[in-house]
Amino acid sequence: MLFKISAIVVAMVASASAQMTMIEPCTRYTPNNPKCPAPPAGKTLDLNQKNPLGKSEPLCKHTTPYTTPVATWTAGQSITTRFEAGEAAHGGGHLQFSLSYDGGKTFVVIYEELKYAFLSGPTARNAATILNYTFSLPRDIPASDKAIFAWTWVNAVGSRDFYMNCADVAIKGYSNSFTGKQMTIANHDGYPTIPEFNSNNDTDAGLEHYRNAPLITVTGDGSTPSAVKPTPVEELKPTKVERVLVIASSSPAVPSPIGGGCVHGSTSCAFFVPGFYTCIWGVWSSFVPCGANTRCKYTGHGSVICGW
């Protein structure tokens, strides 16, 4: 009997640990990173942090923020998100990183990885092969001491779930507003359901919900964002990817738009425009466009590519 009970417990633990979970920056009430702060007064650690968002649970799952931000970022800087090793990628899926300035009511996307989340491309493997995503924050996001950074994921294979956790962050910047795609919500109460899909093709992958997401404008004071009709953008085709050799431009250098310089050799995708900037000895170079029918994308390893 003891063996049977132990086996059941082990199986339950294995099941609970099978999902992806972000460990940096610290999400609300996480038990998965010993460096993270304790929950606010009256709250407890979320031992179900790796579970998907319940069908009727609010966005972020926990609506009471930490008393102080877990990270302070500057608009335009490169950040790295880290996920726990040993988890299942469930065939990949759609991953977005977003920011909210109104307490979690609306979120604007700042980076996304569609179809191949946690994987390097089409594969039969279920184990996650990418655990870190490094990308630059848009240089024109507003400043706020109470911004919410969210990661959301619609898995390709398995139960039709929506994963979401949030981190409380502070952002330094110069802009008063930022316009970007609204975060896509699916497989959640009142939202569309994206069926299981094979990441080798676009069939039934639910990409239309991401491609046709409206553009919203967020402000640092959290005022109500406005929505505008999106401009359709052709999705990257995973069959061919080109890495870009960054060469210093002969055009005059452009000072960093955030006034704080940049790290020599770093690159940053331009937002809404297919191309990128390169840091040359502390200043951003002239804009470098991507080739026809391609767009700039962060690789998750601190560099950018222009790809189909």
Side-chain angles (χ1 to χ4, degrees):
M1 178 63 68
L2 288 176
F3 171 79
K4 291 183 179 180
I5 294 177
S6 298
I8 293 173
V9 171
V10 169
M12 292 175 62
V13 171
S15 175
S17 64
Q19 319 305 333
M20 302 302 302
T21 182
M22 187 170 73
I23 57 177
E24 186 179 332
C26 298
T27 53
R28 291 176 178 174
Y29 316 169
T30 179
N32 302 311
N33 185 342
K35 297 181 180 179
C36 292
K43 304 296 181 180
T44 59
L45 290 175
D46 180 7
L47 300 181
N48 296 314
Q49 181 96 170
K50 299 179 182 181
N51 290 355
L53 199 65
K55 297 299 183 183
S56 60
E57 285 185 312
L59 298 182
C60 287
K61 189 176 182 180
H62 303 289
T63 57
T64 301
Y66 280 125
T67 54
T68 57
V70 298
T72 298
W73 298 331
T74 300
Q77 82 167 80
S78 177
I79 66 169
T80 297
T81 62
R82 305 184 191 281
F83 290 80
E84 192 168 65
E87 311 298 348
H90 292 286
H94 310 316
L95 173 67
Q96 289 185 322
F97 296 100
S98 309
L99 284 170
S100 175
Y101 287 86
D102 58 5
K105 297 177 183 177
T106 55
F107 288 83
V108 63
V109 178
I110 57 174
Y111 180 76
E112 64 183 12
E113 181 71 36
L114 301 183
K115 297 202 299 183
Y116 308 113
F118 308 113
L119 301 172
S120 56
T123 177
R125 292 175 53 121
N126 190 44
T129 56
I130 296 178
L131 298 176
N132 300 336
Y133 282 96
T134 298
F135 54 91
S136 293
L137 298 173
R139 290 187 287 272
D140 52 348
I141 55 174
S144 175
D145 292 329
K146 297 180 180 179
I148 301 174
F149 176 72
W151 80 277
T152 54
W153 175 41
V154 172
N155 51 302
V157 178
S159 299
R160 307 323 299 143
D161 295 319
F162 183 69
Y163 294 82
M164 181 179 192
N165 290 114
C166 296
D168 299 296
V169 301
I171 297 176
K172 299 178 181 179
Y174 70 97
S175 177
N176 293 321
S177 65
F178 172 74
T179 299
K181 288 201 310 182
Q182 187 172 37
M183 182 183 78
T184 297
I185 304 173
N187 302 341
H188 189 56
D189 192 29
Y191 294 91
T193 297
I194 297 177
E196 286 187 281
F197 59 91
N198 185 336
S199 60
N200 289 320
N201 57 64
D202 291 354
T203 304
D204 296 326
L207 288 174
E208 67 276 9
H209 300 296
Y210 294 82
R211 291 169 174 161
N212 300 326
L215 300 181
I216 62 172
T217 297
V218 296
T219 60
D221 61 8
S223 57
T224 302
S226 58
V228 298
K229 185 177 180 180
T231 300
V233 177
E234 182 179 357
E235 186 52 49
L236 289 177
K237 296 180 177 61
T239 56
K240 184 177 182 180
V241 175
E242 287 187 348
R243 294 189 178 275
V244 175
L245 174 61
V246 177
I247 302 175
S249 171
S250 59
S251 303
V254 179
S256 167
I258 61 174
C262 53
V263 179
H264 178 66
S266 61
T267 52
S268 177
C269 288
F271 220 74
F272 298 123
V273 182
F276 61 93
Y277 296 89
T278 306
C279 183
I280 306 297
W281 302 118
V283 293
W284 292 104
S285 73
S286 297
F287 173 73
V288 179
C290 288
N293 299 319
T294 67
R295 70 178 186 182
C296 184
K297 180 181 178 183
Y298 294 97
T299 65
H301 302 289
S303 60
V304 301
I305 60 172
C306 286
W308 284 268

